[in-house]
Amino acid sequence: MKQRLDRFLSEQTIYTRTDISKLLWKRKVSVNGKITREGEIKIDPQNDRVEVSGNEIIYREKIYLILNKPAGYVCATEDKTDPTVIDLVPDQLKRKDIFPAGRLDKDSEGMVLITNDGALSHRILSPKKHIPKYYIVKLRENFVENYERLFSEGIVISGGEKCLPANVRACPNAENMAFIELFEGKFHQVKRMFESVENSVEKLVRTQMGSLEIPENIGLGECMEILHNDVEKLLKQTPFEEVFKRFSTKFSSYWINKL
Ligand code: URA
């Protein structure tokens, strides 16, 4: 479907209407190689090539980004005091309608999905849809074997809320680390679960959502776009033992040093 050029630019970038008028006026915008100053012309977003200052603006109705969140950033679109995960999105992937799907605490690290797809975000976050999220935590005290049973029965956390059954395992070769699978995301949930068993979380990293692991090639603070296959993986469930086995084989060489 055809769309006005100025509307296209407004939807697909971070430029404001004023920025767009200025860019047009300064002859920075071209359509199929021809400079235009007219924002009202109609373009075909799927087939016309739009460039701003020589950089192509690629049309995407929906966008899916995976961020490897460092500590110190909040999962919000705006914040009065702290930098947000959106600040870490490079300009060429940034647009006004993206938001983090779910929360990691300011001091937590790891996988965050940033998207403009509200329906997908809902599917990933709703406990009813059974999309697991996986975390590795460094604990103050060593892992105790009965955690497995307590977590699987549903831990009652501070405030009296009962959590859904969760899977937890001690990490191989590291008695003060645990790997945990959750199907919900209550406020500070993992930390509160370990507090309920008289332990506490010193560091937390989200490693996987659904069947999609955080890609190894994205460093802390980096972001990459994922495409159709990986979005499908986000929505797929793999049996816990399988995920844990895969995780275990990688574990000793990688995570022990990292945490
Ligand atoms: N649980 C927590 O306690 N913190 C997070 O950041 C994510 C899950």
Side-chain angles (χ1 to χ4, degrees), residues 111 130-134 207-214 229-239 242-243 246:
M111 186 171 187
H130 306 290
I131 307 295
K133 285 111 205 150
Y134 299 88
T207 57
Q208 180 169 336
M209 294 165 83
S211 299
L212 185 67
E213 285 176 42
I214 189 151
N229 276 354
D230 282 338
V231 178
E232 290 293 307
K233 274 194 180 173
L234 274 173
L235 298 169
K236 221 179 102 209
Q237 202 182 330
T238 305
E242 222 175 282
V243 177
R246 182 171 154 66

Side-chain angles (χ1 to χ4, degrees), residues 62-66 113-115 117 120 224-226 231:
K62 299 282 185 257
I63 184 164
Y64 306 94
L65 309 172
I66 293 292
L113 172 71
I114 295 177
T115 183
D117 187 339
L120 182 108
M224 72 182 251
E225 184 170 12
I226 56 164
V231 178

Side-chain angles (χ1 to χ4, degrees), residues 185-220:
K186 298 184 195 299
F187 185 63
H188 295 330
Q189 182 163 347
V190 175
K191 291 175 184 159
R192 288 159 78 203
M193 288 169 97
F194 281 101
E195 270 154 27
S196 292
V197 294
E198 282 154 30
N199 205 327
S200 69
V201 169
E202 292 187 341
K203 185 150 187 195
L204 180 150
V205 180
R206 179 153 67 199
T207 57
Q208 180 169 336
M209 294 165 83
S211 299
L212 185 67
E213 285 176 42
I214 189 151
E216 272 175 26
N217 56 345
I218 31 178
L220 260 189

Side-chain angles (χ1 to χ4, degrees), residues 100-215:
R103 292 229 174 117
L104 275 185
D105 297 336
K106 183 177 159 188
D107 61 350
S108 299
E109 293 183 359
M111 186 171 187
V112 175
L113 172 71
I114 295 177
T115 183
N116 63 343
D117 187 339
L120 182 108
S121 164
H122 177 74
R123 278 172 74 189
I124 287 174
L125 300 179
S126 165
K128 290 197 188 107
K129 307 284 179 193
H130 306 290
I131 307 295
K133 285 111 205 150
Y134 299 88
Y135 305 88
I136 167 164
V137 290
K138 183 174 179 186
L139 299 169
R140 189 194 60 217
E141 309 290 342
N142 284 352
F143 190 93
V144 179
E145 238 181 69
N146 73 355
Y147 291 172
E148 289 186 19
R149 180 179 55 79
L150 294 172
F151 278 54
S152 72
E153 287 170 359
I155 292 260
V156 177
I157 51 177
S158 54
E161 268 180 287
K162 183 159 177 166
C163 298
L164 292 173
N167 280 306
V168 68
R169 296 286 183 276
C171 287
N173 312 321
E175 287 169 60
N176 65 339
M177 290 193 204
F179 185 69
I180 172 163
E181 177 193 59
L182 290 191
F183 290 90
E184 56 183 344
K186 298 184 195 299
F187 185 63
H188 295 330
Q189 182 163 347
V190 175
K191 291 175 184 159
R192 288 159 78 203
M193 288 169 97
F194 281 101
E195 270 154 27
S196 292
V197 294
E198 282 154 30
N199 205 327
S200 69
V201 169
E202 292 187 341
K203 185 150 187 195
L204 180 150
V205 180
R206 179 153 67 199
T207 57
Q208 180 169 336
M209 294 165 83
S211 299
L212 185 67
E213 285 176 42
I214 189 151

